[in-house]
Amino acid sequence: MGLDHYAVKEGKELRCGYTTGTCAAAATSAAAKMLFSGKSVASVRIATPKGIVLDLPAEEAAFLESGARCAVRKDAGDDPDMTDGLLVFATVEKSGEKGILICAGDGVGIVTKPGLSAPVGGPAVNATPRRMIMEAAQAVMDAYRYRGGLKITLSIPGGAEIARKTFNPRLGIEGGLSVLGTSGIVEPMSEQALIDTIHVEMNSLRAAGGKHVLAFFGNYGVDFTRNEWGIDTENRITCSNYIGELLDYAVYLGFSDVLLIGHVGKILKLAQGIMNTHSRCADGRTTFLAMEAMFAGASKETGKAVYESLTTDMAIDLLAEHDLLKPVLAKAMEKISYYMDQRVHGALRTEAVMFSNARGVLGMTGGAEDLLTLYRKEKNLER
């Protein structure tokens, strides 16, 4: 059924799309049919792991001296995906070797570091799309009773340029994009896609021998850390809003510690046990600050003013004005430490640093300074 599939996000009906993995599998099927039938293919049917069957147009079909080539255009639906509209090509050739070999062509990345779901030295094709491509090729081989080998070369023109704007260079994927997709379908604004990206980064770090997780919500923390301490953040993990998932996966992979560095506007939410810091999930920042201010002796009027502050920076200024900043932030760091440790059940060490652009470091958990010192020492040793 093509693209008549929708997801409801934040009260809106958004059209789903299909992944580069689905495109690659569909292009492989079309090119393989052309190779064995000698006839051009106008469209191809592909079943996705999600159970949705797609009929996709085949583009730029061509017969080559040694095989056949076909492309399927990526459609990300209503998801803001940089790969939307790109053509994913598959060139299929008969091979003297048994089995099915998948190779990287123009715009498809090569894996250079361990820890990803694709082997080092091979094309950056994740496990699910690799399986889809192999199954699509095998189905055509079986239909034509072909028992020889096949070579499948995937290419995404323009992929190398787009890949520079993604996490691929940090993950050790060089020269192009990854062929991705766990369900075959792109769900708009997919939280799972973001969480999967976090897991891929952590897998790569652990496979490279990393024991420590230096984590940030985003670029604010990265810039602050470089400027404040001169720490190299190349091997950082960017967790966006998904603190709980970051901590859970750090336990699963056996890391020894996590140091989270965040702007007060994000990290303060952890003081109330909020492990997804997206604004649509929960807030509680000024509630916490006002409550702790009143516990520390603030008047009802001051507490109310803190509570009604439009931003955490405004609330922080009010606390400083009434000499309440130190005890309130000390309590915040105590609570952040408690909830992070509770999440991992003591399986690894968790520390945090809170900062603001205006005031610098606002607070640290008990062992955060030790981990900062460790990171600085390790970088000096590398030099």
Side-chain angles (χ1 to χ4, degrees), residues 264-278:
V264 60
K266 280 284 190 184
I267 202 168
L268 187 60
K269 294 183 181 184
L270 272 66
Q272 290 193 312
I274 297 167
M275 291 287 162
N276 183 329
T277 58
H278 197 289

Side-chain angles (χ1 to χ4, degrees), residues 76-95:
D78 288 326
D79 192 66
D81 189 327
M82 288 187 291
T83 64
D84 185 45
L86 291 182
L87 286 171
V88 179
F89 282 86
T91 299
V92 180
E93 304 166 273
K94 291 181 181 179
S95 169

Side-chain angles (χ1 to χ4, degrees), residues 20-43:
T20 49
T22 294
C23 293
T28 295
S29 179
K33 288 176 182 176
M34 290 173 58
L35 174 66
F36 292 112
S37 71
K39 299 176 181 178
S40 188
V41 173
S43 66

Side-chain angles (χ1 to χ4, degrees), residues 190-228:
S190 171
E191 290 190 0
Q192 189 57 51
L194 291 172
I195 293 168
D196 288 347
T197 298
I198 296 167
H199 288 178
V200 168
E201 286 194 26
M202 295 176 74
N203 287 337
S204 180
L205 176 62
R206 194 72 182 97
K211 298 178 181 178
H212 316 290
V213 176
L214 178 60
F216 301 92
F217 295 93
N219 290 331
Y220 281 165
V222 172
D223 293 341
F224 179 82
T225 300
R226 287 172 178 162
N227 296 335
E228 183 76 11

Side-chain angles (χ1 to χ4, degrees), residues 28-193:
T28 295
S29 179
K33 288 176 182 176
M34 290 173 58
L35 174 66
F36 292 112
S37 71
K39 299 176 181 178
S40 188
V41 173
S43 66
V44 62
R45 174 166 290 192
I46 193 81
T48 65
K50 195 175 180 69
I52 297 171
V53 177
L54 301 172
D55 289 305
L56 303 177
E59 300 189 34
E60 300 198 21
F63 293 99
L64 309 175
E65 185 176 339
S66 59
R69 182 181 64 205
C70 195
V72 171
R73 192 175 298 276
K74 169 72 179 287
D75 184 342
D78 288 326
D79 192 66
D81 189 327
M82 288 187 291
T83 64
D84 185 45
L86 291 182
L87 286 171
V88 179
F89 282 86
T91 299
V92 180
E93 304 166 273
K94 291 181 181 179
S95 169
E97 302 291 330
K98 288 289 186 181
I100 300 170
L101 176 65
I102 300 175
C103 302
D106 175 47
V108 173
I110 297 292
V111 177
T112 65
K113 293 181 181 180
L116 303 178
S117 62
V120 172
V125 180
N126 279 17
T128 298
R130 180 178 292 271
R131 176 175 56 80
M132 292 175 68
I133 292 164
M134 300 284 278
E135 288 176 353
Q138 189 64 56
V140 178
M141 292 167 68
D142 291 345
Y144 286 89
R145 299 181 180 179
Y146 175 69
R147 296 293 177 261
L150 281 187
K151 177 183 177 184
I152 301 166
T153 303
L154 304 177
S155 58
I156 308 176
E161 291 75 16
I162 292 175
R164 297 189 188 103
K165 304 173 186 177
T166 71
F167 286 112
N168 278 14
R170 278 175 47 198
L171 296 174
I173 297 171
E174 297 182 356
L177 293 165
S178 302
V179 178
L180 302 171
T182 54
S183 69
I185 297 296
V186 175
E187 294 195 15
M189 312 294 183
S190 171
E191 290 190 0
Q192 189 57 51

Side-chain angles (χ1 to χ4, degrees), residues 225-291:
T225 300
R226 287 172 178 162
N227 296 335
E228 183 76 11
W229 297 294
I231 292 175
D232 190 322
T233 59
E234 181 181 354
N235 292 325
R236 66 187 180 274
I237 302 298
T238 303
C239 63
S240 184
N241 296 299
Y242 306 103
I243 309 304
E245 285 78 5
L246 169 86
L247 295 174
D248 293 346
Y249 207 60
V251 172
Y252 172 73
L253 291 181
F255 283 99
S256 63
D257 49 72
V258 172
L259 175 61
L260 176 65
I261 300 176
H263 187 274
V264 60
K266 280 284 190 184
I267 202 168
L268 187 60
K269 294 183 181 184
L270 272 66
Q272 290 193 312
I274 297 167
M275 291 287 162
N276 183 329
T277 58
H278 197 289
S279 57
R280 72 169 176 264
C281 295
D283 194 337
R285 294 169 297 178
T286 58
T287 304
F288 176 85
L289 293 175
M291 178 182 66

Side-chain angles (χ1 to χ4, degrees), residues 310-366:
L310 296 179
T311 66
T312 50
D313 284 328
M314 290 173 61
I316 293 295
D317 289 343
L318 277 171
L319 293 172
E321 182 182 328
H322 291 86
D323 295 322
L324 295 165
L325 189 57
K326 187 174 180 179
V328 170
L329 292 183
K331 195 66 177 179
M333 298 316 298
E334 177 187 326
K335 286 292 189 180
I336 289 170
S337 179
Y338 169 78
Y339 282 116
M340 289 180 72
D341 185 64
Q342 184 186 61
R343 182 73 181 217
V344 302
H345 300 291
L348 52 78
R349 182 179 176 184
T350 56
E351 304 291 351
V353 176
M354 178 193 293
F355 73 91
S356 79
N357 294 332
R359 296 177 179 271
V361 175
L362 295 174
M364 295 188 184
T365 56

